[in-house]
Amino acid sequence: MRNARLLAVLALVASFLGLVFAAYSTYDYAQHLDRQIHAIHCSFIPGASGDTTAENPCKVALFSSYSALFRESYWGGVPISLFAVGAFSFFLGYALYLLLSGWRTPKRAYLFFGVTGLTPLCASLVMFVISLTRLHAFCKVCVGIYFSSALLAAAAVMALLHYRAIAHRHLPFDPMGPTEPQAGPGSPLLLVGWLGALGLAAIVPALVYVAALPDYRPYLSNCGKLEVQQEQHNALLKLPTAHPVKPVTFFEDPLCPTCRAFHERLIDEGVLENLDVTLVLFPLDSDCNWMLDRSLHPGACLLSKAVLCGGSQSRAILEWSYSEQDSLRELGKGNPTAIEKKIRERFGSDVMSCAQDKKTAVRLTQHLHYAANNHIPVSTPQMFLGDKRICDEDTDLGLKYTLSQLAPEVLR
């Protein structure tokens, strides 16, 4: 019975930790349903201070396309962490049952827990691989869930070993004797009942969440329009995509982390290749942008010019700027000429020579004038679907839902 008690305590601790981390993750997600920006918890200590920066790995995970299901049907989708809340709640109750029922616990209860207790670890492994290979960031709250799942899996393995040890033991119970008491195997129907309860616990929070969601459709078209649709010098840039079916205009900065995340989100959601993209370069760098009194992203002007000079490589240069953004931003702060060297090495001296040409500076200025004439906020990215401005909050959590309402053809 000592092993049974030990595994129950371990399962209890693991489930409680998993529930706390999953609840914090869900809370952070649900806060954004008001379409405002909120700090996001990102600590191994539940309840520690939040962070609103784009580099926050928990924000990267939360705004990624992997954090929720059914994004087309519901604004923001249904956060995956909700299913974790339900599952860990079930295992918390089940561990308590194993602990309190003691020797009266049916043998099949250990078998059930041994098998189902491994499922959170399987889900965590999938999310771990996604974090490693797609997000390139590890959210500490998510790591807390991974750790809790591993602890729960350890308890599950102990349960399987315990079940194997007692499965064929048929000792009579003698309360006066030295023999350890034990319960019978339990009805097979118990397995069905427990499994049903686990499934119910996992989906009920999601059903309640969906039922409580407000109707976001009235908000999708209230963020303004593109007042000047044509740039008179034909200076704007067309980005090549595979199957363009819907005109869209992006205002982006090659060194803007939020632009990078937005671009990756469009690719992950399978949307970008269906958009007919007009790119307006809007570097937040006072070296060329007179609307700023200081550079937020030094080096962004030079990279913007390189994108303009790329010709058929324009999209490749923009995506290279995003993929190398961390190192390019550091170079921009201390050694801007090093960015020139990198552009020359990667895309050739012709692109760099063009980027240093006065005509290219004039063209970039025309991009900035186009942004100013349309009263674009000094904030990137900005997205216009046709002439309709997509609200900032609808370019992240609500992107897929917004597109399903305003341009469903780009999701096919």
Side-chain angles (χ1 to χ4, degrees):
M1 287 306 297
R2 181 180 298 175
N3 288 342
R5 194 171 295 114
L6 182 62
L7 75 87
V9 171
L10 182 59
L12 196 66
V13 172
S15 303
F16 177 75
L17 285 177
L19 178 59
V20 170
F21 282 116
Y24 265 106
S25 180
T26 304
Y27 173 74
D28 282 337
Y29 204 99
Q31 274 198 115
H32 290 78
L33 294 180
D34 65 358
R35 299 164 62 82
Q36 302 298 314
I37 296 175
H38 297 276
I40 294 174
H41 295 94
C42 201
S43 171
F44 294 126
I45 304 173
S49 60
D51 185 352
T52 58
T53 62
E55 293 83 359
N56 179 345
C58 293
K59 185 172 183 178
V60 173
L62 187 147
F63 284 92
S64 77
S65 58
Y66 305 101
S67 63
L69 303 174
F70 312 117
R71 285 180 183 269
E72 282 186 51
S73 303
Y74 308 106
W75 193 93
V78 181
I80 288 177
S81 57
L82 258 181
F83 298 96
V85 167
F88 281 119
S89 297
F90 172 84
F91 285 117
L92 183 65
Y94 198 85
L96 199 60
Y97 159 66
L98 293 179
L99 185 64
L100 297 180
S101 58
W103 68 267
R104 296 176 183 83
T105 307
K107 295 174 182 176
R108 286 194 172 98
Y110 296 105
L111 175 63
F112 172 80
F113 176 67
V115 173
T116 58
L118 296 173
T119 53
L121 181 61
C122 295
S124 289
L125 286 174
V126 171
M127 298 308 294
F128 177 85
V129 171
I130 289 173
S131 297
L132 181 67
T133 61
R134 303 295 300 173
L135 304 182
H136 308 294
F138 285 98
C139 155
K140 291 181 181 176
V141 175
C142 304
V143 172
I145 295 175
Y146 305 159
F147 176 73
S148 305
S149 301
L151 281 183
L152 192 66
V157 170
M158 290 175 66
L160 288 175
L161 294 174
H162 183 67
Y163 174 75
R164 191 175 69 173
I166 65 173
H168 304 294
R169 196 189 294 169
H170 301 288
L171 298 177
F173 173 43
D174 179 2
M176 302 301 292
T179 304
E180 184 178 83
Q182 61 179 283
S187 168
L189 290 177
L190 284 173
L191 296 175
V192 177
W194 288 325
L195 192 60
L198 173 58
L200 204 60
I203 65 170
V204 163
L207 294 176
V208 172
Y209 180 89
V210 166
L213 282 175
D215 183 1
Y216 289 98
R217 286 173 294 183
Y219 303 105
L220 302 182
S221 304
N222 292 335
C223 288
K225 288 190 173 184
L226 203 58
E227 297 178 11
V228 181
Q229 296 192 35
Q230 294 294 323
E231 200 287 322
Q232 58 181 340
H233 305 95
N234 198 28
L236 305 186
L237 186 67
K238 279 285 186 182
L239 278 191
T241 54
H243 312 288
V245 295
K246 183 70 179 180
V248 64
T249 303
F250 292 144
F251 292 77
E252 294 190 357
D253 172 347
L255 290 185
C256 154
T258 310
C259 296
R260 175 179 62 183
F262 175 61
H263 191 82
E264 291 173 350
R265 196 176 305 123
L266 288 171
I267 294 175
D268 290 340
E269 300 282 11
V271 171
L272 184 62
E273 300 302 337
N274 295 331
L275 295 175
D276 182 7
V277 179
T278 297
L279 179 65
V280 183
L281 287 154
F282 194 51
L284 301 184
D285 178 1
S286 60
D287 190 45
C288 61
N289 190 335
W290 70 90
M291 290 175 267
L292 300 171
D293 57 9
R294 62 185 175 87
S295 290
L296 299 177
H297 303 143
C301 289
L302 177 59
L303 285 163
S304 297
K305 292 172 187 172
V307 173
L308 289 176
C309 292
S312 61
Q313 297 187 92
S314 289
R315 178 174 168 179
I317 296 175
L318 180 67
E319 293 182 340
W320 171 79
S321 300
Y322 288 147
S323 65
E324 301 292 324
Q325 193 176 81
D326 293 340
S327 62
L328 291 172
R329 289 183 69 182
E330 288 303 313
L331 291 176
K333 293 175 185 175
N335 186 14
T337 56
I339 296 181
E340 296 178 13
K341 183 181 177 184
K342 277 187 167 286
I343 294 172
R344 190 175 288 109
E345 288 176 349
R346 181 70 175 80
F347 298 103
S349 56
D350 287 348
V351 170
M352 195 57 242
S353 298
C354 171
Q356 292 172 324
D357 194 294
K358 288 184 179 179
K359 292 180 181 177
T360 305
V362 170
R363 187 180 179 189
L364 180 57
T365 301
Q366 290 166 344
H367 279 231
L368 292 167
H369 275 294
Y370 182 72
N373 292 339
N374 278 294
H375 308 291
I376 299 299
V378 185
S379 173
T380 52
Q382 298 289 330
M383 175 182 180
F384 288 80
L385 198 61
D387 65 345
K388 190 175 297 181
R389 180 171 180 259
I390 302 301
C391 306
D392 292 345
E393 53 272 22
D394 294 326
T395 62
D396 42 51
L397 284 183
L399 176 64
K400 206 160 185 178
Y401 176 80
T402 301
L403 291 175
S404 74
Q405 297 295 316
L406 302 181
E409 64 270 30
V410 306
L411 298 176
R412 293 170 188 153

